[in-house]
Amino acid sequence: MYIEQTIANVKKQVKEWRAQGLSVGFVPTMGYLHEGHQSLIQRAVEENDKVVVSIFVNPIQFGPKEDLESYPRDLDADCTLCEKTGAAMVFCPEVSEMYGEGFSAYVDMNGVTAELCGKSRPTHFRGVCTVVCKLFNIVTPDRAYFGEKDAQQLAVIRHMVRDLNMNVEVVGCPIVREADGLAKSSRNTYLSPEERKAALVLSRSIQAGKAMIQAGEKNGDRVLEEMCRILSEEPLAKIDYVEMVRWDSIEIHHQADVPVLVAIAVYIGTTRLIDNFILE
């Protein structure tokens, strides 16, 4: 497995693969990889000849009071997981490699970024779209793999690819959960034992909302009210948002009569966690 830190080396190697007629899959990550990331890499390995995994804690998608400096990092463990899972290359650039002196080009998205995480983190998706656009231009993958836990991010990237006519297939992959239901997240490491137990309220809320709709409830407000009730019973939980949106446009929607995304963001102590379910 190649471990590369420069854009030039990544482009050179991908060019060699292309000359051999090989397909390239891509999994962009911020590192501190867990089984959720591993499932994306496994899917990419199954569907492509070569797989590139990027590991880059992207500073421009963090707000001024967010956890950029404390975000967990373990490059050695990440590279071991990538190699074991079948990746052909890890791209782990320095910030200066990705954003050189005088960097001033950004990718802004409207509409699909207005609700959910985009409302409470107004600069977040500008940073996400910019770095993903750059990574797509560097790696030039046939397919790129994203987890459905970050469902709004997945929708935003799909819109960006469509609107900018990018030649890459965006593949969404299911949420991977702990045995007790908590969605896998690098930020779970922030939780104390008490907070870790409290965090299970997210998956309980998600399961209850999904069960209501599957049982025939179409009124989104009733579904969200029950989910909020469950979340409010946990003293350590502070709701950021609980919303139902159209899955295609991330517009607020109040009826489960079209494909919908029901998404939540909740603070457990000082740690912000997200979860969701999608009904096609």
Side-chain angles (χ1 to χ4, degrees):
M1 185 183 73
Y2 298 99
I3 300 175
E4 302 292 354
Q5 292 186 300
T6 69
I7 292 168
N9 283 351
V10 174
K11 287 186 171 183
K12 179 181 178 182
Q13 184 57 57
V14 171
K15 185 177 180 180
E16 290 180 10
W17 291 335
R18 294 296 187 195
Q20 298 170 37
L22 303 177
S23 61
V24 178
F26 178 47
V27 181
T29 82
M30 291 209 301
Y32 213 72
L33 305 182
H34 50 67
E35 289 90 339
H37 299 107
Q38 190 172 27
S39 72
L40 304 182
I41 300 169
Q42 287 171 335
R43 174 86 175 268
V45 167
E46 291 168 2
E47 298 180 355
N48 303 274
D49 298 312
K50 299 291 183 179
V51 171
V52 179
V53 179
S54 65
I55 296 173
F56 180 63
V57 181
N58 178 36
I60 67 170
Q61 71 187 65
F62 287 79
K65 295 181 180 180
E66 294 181 351
D67 57 339
L68 173 60
E69 296 304 321
S70 62
Y71 194 85
R73 296 162 169 87
D74 191 339
L75 182 59
D76 289 342
D78 291 344
C79 289
T80 298
L81 182 146
C82 289
E83 186 166 27
K84 182 178 76 171
T85 311
M89 180 192 295
V90 168
F91 176 42
C92 47
E94 298 290 337
V95 172
S96 59
E97 179 73 4
M98 291 295 287
Y99 303 114
E101 185 177 353
F103 183 87
S104 60
Y106 296 88
V107 179
D108 276 314
M109 298 284 290
N110 297 316
V112 72
T113 63
E115 301 294 340
L116 307 182
C117 289
K119 180 179 286 187
S120 56
R121 305 178 71 191
T123 63
H124 174 67
F125 286 113
R126 184 191 198 216
V128 169
C129 289
T130 299
V131 76
V132 172
C133 181
K134 284 177 65 66
L135 289 167
F136 283 176
N137 286 332
I138 294 164
V139 180
T140 61
D142 297 283
R143 301 171 192 87
Y145 296 80
F146 295 83
E148 290 179 351
K149 184 176 77 70
D150 296 297
Q152 185 177 18
Q153 173 179 273
L154 173 59
V156 167
I157 297 302
R158 282 176 169 160
H159 274 257
M160 180 183 75
V161 165
R162 181 199 69 189
D163 292 351
L164 299 182
N165 308 108
M166 294 178 171
N167 191 27
V168 56
E169 177 187 352
V170 177
V171 181
C173 300
I175 295 173
V176 176
R177 298 184 180 275
E178 303 281 1
D180 58 9
L182 183 66
K184 295 272 188 180
S185 171
S186 300
R187 289 188 169 96
N188 290 349
T189 59
Y190 296 160
L191 302 171
S192 69
E194 183 184 10
E195 290 170 340
R196 173 63 179 76
K197 184 177 179 180
L200 294 178
V201 73
L202 275 80
S203 54
R204 288 201 301 273
S205 173
I206 288 293
Q207 290 162 5
K210 187 174 184 178
M212 286 180 68
I213 295 176
Q214 290 176 332
E217 179 60 73
K218 297 295 184 182
N219 188 312
D221 292 335
R222 291 195 191 115
V223 173
L224 300 183
E225 182 180 354
E226 175 61 13
M227 293 175 66
C228 287
R229 184 193 67 78
I230 292 169
L231 290 167
S232 66
E233 291 180 342
E234 172 50 61
L236 295 181
K238 178 185 176 184
I239 296 172
D240 183 356
Y241 64 75
V242 178
E243 296 285 6
M244 176 182 288
V245 297
R246 294 180 65 105
W247 178 218
D248 58 347
S249 62
I250 315 297
E251 296 173 311
I252 297 296
H253 195 69
H254 297 281
Q255 291 290 323
D257 56 355
V258 295
V260 293
L261 163 68
V262 179
I264 65 177
V266 179
Y267 286 92
I268 302 294
T270 60
T271 302
R272 184 177 182 275
L273 301 176
I274 59 174
D275 204 342
N276 70 77
F277 65 90
I278 300 165
L279 287 176
E280 300 285 359

